[in-house]
Amino acid sequence: MLEIANGIRHLPGYLERAGQQSLVEIVRGIVAEAPLFIPVMPGTGKPMSVRMTNCGPLGWVTDKERGYRYQATHPATGRSWPAMPEPLLDIWNAVSDYPLPPQACLINFYSDDAKMGLHQDKDEQDFGAPVVSVSLGNSCLFRVGGLSRNDRTQSIKLASGDVVVLGGAGRLCFHGVDRIYPSTSTLLKNGGRINLTLRRVS
Ligand code: SIN
Ligand code: FE2
């Protein structure tokens, strides 16, 4: 376990290959029920470069008119999100140090040219619970800063099977993904990266 900064913990290689593979299968099942959507920025409607879906009682969504929020249904199908799978609950229970289960798992699909700008995860009501992130597929350059956008940042590589816990003083730190490193993993047939973030919302 490596402490990156401010209570942000990096657990390299937390999941072994078999665990990674079974999570990819689970994610494919979720996507079949709850198709990926392209999130857009509130106000401008500018599309992000990742594609998303969710599982669990709540899912994180965004659109031009109503902005960032959690809701119980898929924005296109209107159906409830697929259930939170047991292996993700196991990870949460092992690393979150929080008594209640996660209510949302945001699933981000990065193609090899996708990235995610520096942001805070602050659409939740409960900042006492950490955000737990699981990386699958190609490695990425993950950037973490402080509580203000202009704070100094540091960058670490996240590889397939790595878990990051944004908790405690690090819960509201700015973070983002600067780039994906193509061909750094054989886990996903078509390359790219999947990131799962487990969140407690209320
Ligand atoms: C996120 O902040 O939602 C995703 C972080 C990541 O892809 O590692
Ligand atoms: Fe985030």
Side-chain angles (χ1 to χ4, degrees):
M1 197 275 282
L2 307 164
E3 182 102 14
I4 304 171
N6 295 323
I8 299 175
R9 291 185 290 143
H10 179 203
L11 291 76
Y14 182 88
L15 288 175
E16 82 300 4
R17 178 79 178 192
Q20 297 171 35
Q21 278 165 336
S22 79
L23 266 187
V24 171
E25 286 312 305
I26 287 168
V27 167
R28 292 201 195 292
I30 290 168
V31 170
E33 258 188 79
L36 295 170
F37 60 90
I38 298 175
V40 300
M41 306 290 284
T44 64
K46 186 178 183 295
M48 300 181 189
S49 61
V50 296
R51 292 175 298 153
M52 297 181 167
T53 190
N54 291 271
C55 61
L58 292 171
W60 188 87
V61 299
T62 169
D63 55 35
K64 188 172 173 208
E65 294 76 22
R66 291 198 284 159
Y68 304 147
R69 64 193 187 276
Y70 285 92
Q71 62 181 44
T73 55
H74 189 286
T77 68
R79 293 172 57 191
S80 301
W81 303 104
M84 183 80 70
E86 206 63 46
L88 291 181
L89 293 174
D90 291 343
I91 295 172
W92 175 271
N93 289 336
V95 306
S96 72
D97 197 23
Y98 196 77
L100 300 172
Q103 292 167 302
C105 175
L106 174 63
I107 301 172
N108 288 142
F109 265 80
Y110 294 79
S111 55
D112 284 332
D113 56 5
K115 54 192 173 198
M116 185 173 292
L118 214 57
H119 66 277
Q120 291 170 295
D121 291 358
K122 56 174 189 193
D123 301 315
E124 303 73 29
Q125 283 134 43
D126 181 0
F127 298 136
V131 170
V132 173
S133 132
V134 182
S135 294
L136 298 168
N138 284 340
S139 299
C140 77
L141 190 63
F142 182 69
R143 185 197 289 266
V144 193
L147 297 178
S148 132
R149 182 175 288 280
N150 298 322
D151 287 351
R152 184 140 53 91
T153 63
Q154 51 179 315
S155 296
I156 56 164
K157 264 194 189 186
L158 296 182
S160 197
D162 288 9
V163 166
V164 173
V165 184
L166 294 146
R171 173 61 180 79
L172 287 170
C173 279
F174 276 85
H175 59 279
V177 172
D178 287 340
R179 60 165 299 193
I180 306 295
Y181 296 98
S183 308
T184 45
S185 164
T186 55
L187 188 72
L188 305 175
K189 280 189 297 294
N190 300 320
R193 171 175 181 264
I194 297 172
N195 178 259
L196 311 172
T197 44
L198 300 165
R199 295 117 184 270
R200 182 81 203 165
V201 178
S202 59

